[in-house]
C-alpha cells in the first residue's frame, strides 16, 4: 500500500516541478513583451492616473514562482534527509515535528534570499522589526499554538520517548503506542485502536510513564490459591508455566511471590518481562491461561470467597481423613520400627503429629532441648553442624529417614541443625509414645543405641573429636534405659 502511494507522490512532485520551471522560463523569456503588455493595459485602465505597477506585478509573479520552486526543493531535501539518510542510519522514522521545523527554517531562509534577489530595493528586515504591533497581535492569537510548538521542541530535545514506545499520560491515564509527535500534539494509538491526541503543552505538564520499545519491561499478573495448597509447589508450577509463554522474555526468569494472606486464599503475583511490551494485554491473558492449565495439571486450586463453618476438634494424625493409612505405611517402612506389630505401628501413628516446613526452614536447632524425634514423611532435610562459624552438612535425609532421636533418647541437647531442603513434611513422635513402644519391644532400644552411636561418631569425626568415642553404644544403651525408666 505504501509503495504505490510514494510512487504517485514522486510523479506528482516531478510534474509540479516541471510546470513551475516551465513557468519561470516563460516569464523570463517573455519578460519584456509581458511588461509592455501589462503597462499598456494598466495605462488604459487607469487613464493616466498613478504610475503603472506593471514591474511590481511581474516581480511578484517571479517571486511566487521561485517560492513554489523553493518549497518543492525543501520538500525534496526533507525526504532525502529524513526518509533515506535518517531512517537508514537510525532505523526508525524521524519525528514529524523535527521534519516540520527543518522545512520551516529552510523555506524561510530560501524565501528571504529570493525576496532580496527579486526586490533588492525593499528592506525585509526593517519591515519585520518595525511591525511590533503586528508581532504582539500574532503572538496573542497564536498563544496556544506557540505553546504547543515550543513544548514539542522541548519534548524533542529531551527525547523522553520515541515513536513505537508505549506511554501512559496524565491523570486520565491514556495508554497506547506513540505513533507520531507533531508540532501540536503527541498521537497515541490506544489498545482499543483509538487515536488519542495529547497536546504537547499538556504533555509537558503531566507525568508520563514510558515503557521504551528497546527495554525489557515487566508486568505483574495476580492469582491466588487455597490455603491448603502448598506455596512452594504453587510458586514452582506457575514459574515454569509462565516462562514458556510466547512474548515472555527468556532473558529473565519470571518471579512468583506471595503478596498477601487474603480472606479467601493465599494471594500471589507473578512478575515477568516482555519481549514486545506493546502486546502486554495478549501476553497477560496468555499468562493467566497458562496458570489455569498448570493449576489443573498440578491439582492446585484457585481461591474464591467462601465461608466454611469449622467446628474445631483437636486432630491427631491417625484420625486424619484418608492420610492415616499413609502415615502407618511410612512408619512401618522406617527400619528401626520394623520389629513393631501392626497395632503398635498404628498406635505410634495415632500419637504422631505432622508438620510441614518450607524450603530453608529450620526443623531442629543445635543446642535446643528436645523430647521428640521426627520421621521424614516427604521431602528432604540436611543435618548441619557448625564448623568455624560455617554450616557443614554431615548428612542429607529423605523419605523414611528419622532424626532427633539423640536428644529424645539421651536427654541431651540437640546435636545438630536440621534444615528443610525443599518443602518437607515430618512426623513428630514424642517421649510418651516411644516409651510405650520400648516397654513392649526392649530390643528396639539396642538397635537405636547402635544408630545413635554411629551418628555420634560421624559428628565427632567432623569435630575432630573421634578419640575415646569409638565404642560407646553399650554405655548409651544403659543411659537410654535409665532415661526411659526401663529395666
Ligand atoms: P538430635 O541430637 O536430637 O538433633 C539433631 C539430629 O541430627 C540428631 O538428633 C540426629 O538425629 C541427627 N544427626 C546428627 N548427626 C547425624 C549424622 N551423622 N547422620 C544422620 N543424622 C544425624
Amino acid at each position: 500500500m505504501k509503495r504505490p502511494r510514494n510512487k504517485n507522490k514522486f510523479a506528482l512532485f516531478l510534474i509540479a516541478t516541471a510546470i513551475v520551471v516551465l513557468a519561470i522560463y516563460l516569464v523570463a523569456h517573455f519578460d519584456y513583451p509581458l511588461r509592455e503588455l501589462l503597462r499598456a493595459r494598466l495605462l488604459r485602465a487607469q487613464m493616466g492616473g498613478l504610475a503603472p505597477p506593471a514591474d511590481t506585478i511581474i516581480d511578484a509573479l517571479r517571486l511566487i514562482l521561485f517560492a513554489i520552486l523553493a518549497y518543492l526543493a525543501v520538500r525534496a531535501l526533507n525526504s532525502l534527509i529524513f526518509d533515506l539518510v535518517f531512517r537508514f542510519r537510525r532505523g526508525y522514522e524521524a519525528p514529524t515535528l523535527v521534519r516540520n521545523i527543518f522545512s520551516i527554517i529552510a523555506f524561510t531562509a530560501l524565501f528571504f534570499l529570493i525576496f532580496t534577489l527579486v526586490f533588492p530595493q525593499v528592506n525585509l528586515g526593517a519591515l519585520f522589526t518595525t511591525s511590533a504591533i503586528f508581532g504582539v497581535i500574532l503572538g496573542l492569537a497564536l498563544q496556544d499554538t506557540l505553546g504547543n510548538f515550543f513544548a514539542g521542541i522541548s519534548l524533542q530535545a529531551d527525547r523522553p520517548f520515541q515513536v513505537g514506545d508505549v506511554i501512559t499520560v496524565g491523570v486520565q491515564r491514556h495508554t497506547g503506542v506513540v505513533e507520531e509527535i507533531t508540532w501540536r500534539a503527541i498521537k497515541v494509538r490506544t489498545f482499543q485502536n483509538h487515536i488519542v491526541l495529547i497536546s504537547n503543552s499538556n504533555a509537558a505538564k503531566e507525568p508520563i510513564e514510558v515503557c521504551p520499545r528497546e527495554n525489557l519491561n515487566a508486568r505483574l499478573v495476580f492469582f491466588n490459591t487455597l490455603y491448603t495448597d502448598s506455596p512452594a509447589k504453587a510458586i514452582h508450577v506457575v514459574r515454569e508455566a509462565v516462562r514458556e509463554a510466547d512474548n515472555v522474555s527468556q532473558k529473565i526468569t519470571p518471579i512468583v511471590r506471595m503478596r498477601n494472606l487474603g480472606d479467601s486464599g493465599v494471594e500471589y503475583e507473578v512478575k515477568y518481562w516482555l519481549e514486545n511490551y506493546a502486546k502486554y494485554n495478549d501476553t497477560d491473558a496468555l499468562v493467566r491461561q497458562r496458570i489455569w492449565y498448570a493449576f489443573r495439571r498440578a491439582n492446585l486450586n484457585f481461591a474464591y470467597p467462601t465461608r466454611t463453618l469449622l467446628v474445631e476438634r483437636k486432630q491427631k494424625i491417625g484420625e486424619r481423613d484418608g492420610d492415616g493409612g499413609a502415615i502407618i505405611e511410612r512408619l512401618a517402612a522406617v527400619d528401626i520400627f520394623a520389629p513393631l506389630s501392626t497395632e503398635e505401628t498404628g498406635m505410634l501413628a495415632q500419637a504422631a503429629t505432622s508438620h510441614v516446613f518450607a524450603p530453608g526452614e529450620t526443623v531442629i536447632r543445635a543446642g535446643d532441648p528436645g523430647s521428640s524425634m521426627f520421621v521424614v514423611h516427604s521431602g528432604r532435610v540436611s543435618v548441619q553442624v557448625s564448623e568455624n562459624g560455617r554450616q557443614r552438612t554431615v548428612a542429607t535425609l529423605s523419605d523414611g529417614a528419622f532424626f532427633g532421636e539423640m536428644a529424645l533418647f539421651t536427654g541431651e541437647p540437640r546435636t545438630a541443625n536440621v534444615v528443610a531442603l525443599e518443602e518437607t513434611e515430618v512426623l513428630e513422635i514424642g517421649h510418651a509414645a516411644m516409651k510405650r513402644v520400648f516397654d513392649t519391644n526392649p530390643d528396639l532400644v539396642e538397635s537405636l543405641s547402635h544408630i545413635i552411636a554411629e551418628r555420634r561418631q560421624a559428628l565427632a569425626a567432623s569435630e575432630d573429636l573421634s578419640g575415646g568415642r569409638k565404642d560407646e553404644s553399650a554405655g548409651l544403651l544403659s543411659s537410654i534405659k535409665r532415661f526411659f525408666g526401663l529395666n
Side-chain angles (χ1 to χ4, degrees):
M1 280 304 282
K2 239 187 162 177
R3 284 271 156 92
R5 250 182 82 185
N6 280 347
K7 257 188 184 172
N8 283 350
K9 271 170 99 178
F10 187 63
L12 218 70
F13 170 79
L14 283 183
I15 293 167
T17 314
I19 292 171
V20 176
V21 170
L22 185 69
I24 290 172
Y25 172 77
L26 288 176
V27 170
H29 197 262
F30 298 107
D31 188 63
Y32 186 71
L34 253 177
R35 279 173 205 263
E36 285 304 306
L37 186 80
L38 260 174
R39 226 169 260 151
R41 287 236 159 169
L42 286 165
L43 255 178
R44 216 176 304 142
Q46 292 188 350
M47 307 296 274
L50 288 167
D55 286 349
T56 318
I57 291 174
I58 297 291
D59 285 343
L61 185 65
R62 280 174 59 212
L63 177 72
I64 291 168
L65 287 173
F66 274 115
I68 296 173
L69 193 65
Y71 170 75
L72 290 170
V74 167
R75 288 208 58 169
L77 202 63
N78 188 310
S79 290
L80 189 75
I81 293 175
F82 294 108
D83 284 341
L84 293 178
V85 181
F86 188 96
R87 221 178 162 168
F88 180 73
R89 294 188 67 170
R90 297 279 180 94
Y92 60 91
E93 236 170 82
T96 317
L97 184 67
V98 174
R99 298 183 69 149
N100 288 351
I101 291 173
F102 168 82
S103 296
I104 291 168
I105 292 174
F107 181 72
T108 315
L110 277 177
F111 185 80
F112 267 81
L113 191 72
I114 296 164
F115 193 93
T116 36
L117 286 176
V118 177
F119 296 106
Q121 69 282 9
V122 181
N123 185 349
L124 203 57
L127 202 73
F128 271 97
T129 45
T130 48
S131 52
I133 296 173
F134 172 75
V136 170
I137 294 168
L138 202 70
L140 284 173
L142 295 180
Q143 211 174 25
D144 281 352
T145 314
L146 288 176
N148 281 330
F149 180 73
F150 286 112
I153 291 178
S154 82
L155 272 178
Q156 288 303 329
D158 242 12
R159 300 188 72 61
F161 51 82
Q162 290 179 11
V163 171
D165 291 352
V166 174
I167 61 166
T168 304
V169 187
V171 276
Q172 282 169 317
R173 302 197 60 76
H174 293 298
T175 303
V177 183
V178 178
E179 280 216 332
E180 206 178 5
I181 307 162
T182 68
W183 57 272
R184 202 187 76 75
I186 303 163
K187 193 169 155 191
V188 172
R189 188 171 289 274
T190 68
F191 294 110
Q192 290 78 43
N193 207 20
H194 303 159
I195 299 284
V196 176
L197 291 167
I198 301 141
S199 69
N200 290 340
S201 51
N202 275 347
K205 285 180 228 144
E206 304 275 9
I208 305 178
E209 185 184 330
V210 183
C211 304
R213 207 173 32 161
E214 307 298 341
N215 186 44
L216 272 183
N217 301 294
R219 291 281 301 167
L220 291 177
V221 167
F222 305 109
F223 65 95
N224 61 11
T225 66
L226 291 183
Y227 272 105
T228 43
D229 288 333
S230 142
K233 182 174 171 187
I235 288 171
H236 175 75
V237 164
V238 170
R239 188 172 49 224
E240 291 311 307
V242 172
R243 73 197 298 181
E244 302 285 300
D246 275 357
N247 199 26
V248 171
S249 172
Q250 300 297 310
K251 291 185 189 132
I252 310 179
T253 309
I255 295 173
V256 185
R257 52 195 171 202
M258 231 189 238
R259 285 181 66 223
N260 190 23
L261 300 173
D263 283 345
S264 359
V266 184
E267 295 165 12
Y268 296 86
E269 67 186 13
V270 49
K271 180 176 181 181
Y272 71 93
W273 284 262
L274 291 103
E275 306 257 337
N276 179 359
Y277 191 74
K279 289 191 180 162
Y280 72 75
N281 280 320
D282 292 340
T283 315
D284 278 2
L286 183 65
V287 161
R288 290 188 194 106
Q289 196 195 68
R290 290 289 165 94
I291 293 176
W292 190 93
Y293 281 105
F295 263 42
R296 200 174 170 127
R297 285 193 301 276
N299 258 331
L300 291 165
N301 304 282
F302 290 105
Y304 42 85
T306 45
R307 285 280 176 272
T308 312
L309 198 61
L310 291 177
V311 180
E312 199 186 351
R313 185 165 69 94
K314 217 168 175 130
Q315 207 173 34
K316 290 275 183 198
I317 275 231
E319 296 169 347
R320 295 194 323 181
D321 311 337
D323 245 19
I327 307 283
I328 294 174
E329 246 174 64
R330 166 63 64 226
L331 294 180
V334 177
D335 40 7
I336 51 157
F337 297 138
L340 303 189
S341 68
T342 318
E343 291 78 48
E344 283 167 338
T345 315
M347 265 168 52
L348 214 55
Q350 289 271 351
T353 325
S354 144
H355 306 281
V356 180
F357 289 86
E361 272 195 292
T362 302
V363 185
I364 276 181
R365 219 174 287 275
D368 282 358
S371 57
S372 57
M373 64 175 282
F374 301 84
V375 171
V376 181
H377 190 29
S378 65
R380 251 166 4 111
V381 295
S382 95
V383 180
Q384 301 171 349
V385 287
S386 176
E387 224 175 60
N388 304 326
R390 298 185 64 188
Q391 293 298 314
R392 198 176 72 82
T393 300
V394 292
T396 302
L397 308 175
S398 54
D399 305 11
F402 62 90
F403 59 90
E405 78 294 343
M406 289 163 100
L408 171 67
F409 298 134
T410 60
E412 288 168 11
R414 300 286 191 197
T415 52
N417 290 322
V418 179
V419 179
L421 291 176
E422 55 196 59
E423 190 181 83
T424 302
E425 183 175 358
V426 293
L427 306 171
E428 186 177 13
I429 304 166
H431 183 279
M434 282 314 292
K435 182 170 169 18
R436 266 203 307 273
V437 170
F438 284 155
D439 282 339
T440 45
N441 290 274
D443 295 349
L444 213 66
V445 185
E446 200 166 332
S447 59
L448 261 166
S449 58
H450 287 306
I451 291 168
I452 295 174
E454 261 169 40
R455 288 187 170 179
R456 275 195 169 179
Q457 245 172 7
L459 283 178
S462 77
E463 288 166 12
D464 209 13
L465 291 170
S466 46
R469 287 212 176 195
K470 283 259 153 81
D471 192 22
E472 57 182 350
S473 69
L476 262 171
L477 184 64
S478 49
S479 70
I480 293 173
K481 280 184 169 167
R482 240 191 342 269
F483 188 64
F484 276 84
L486 307 167
N487 305 318

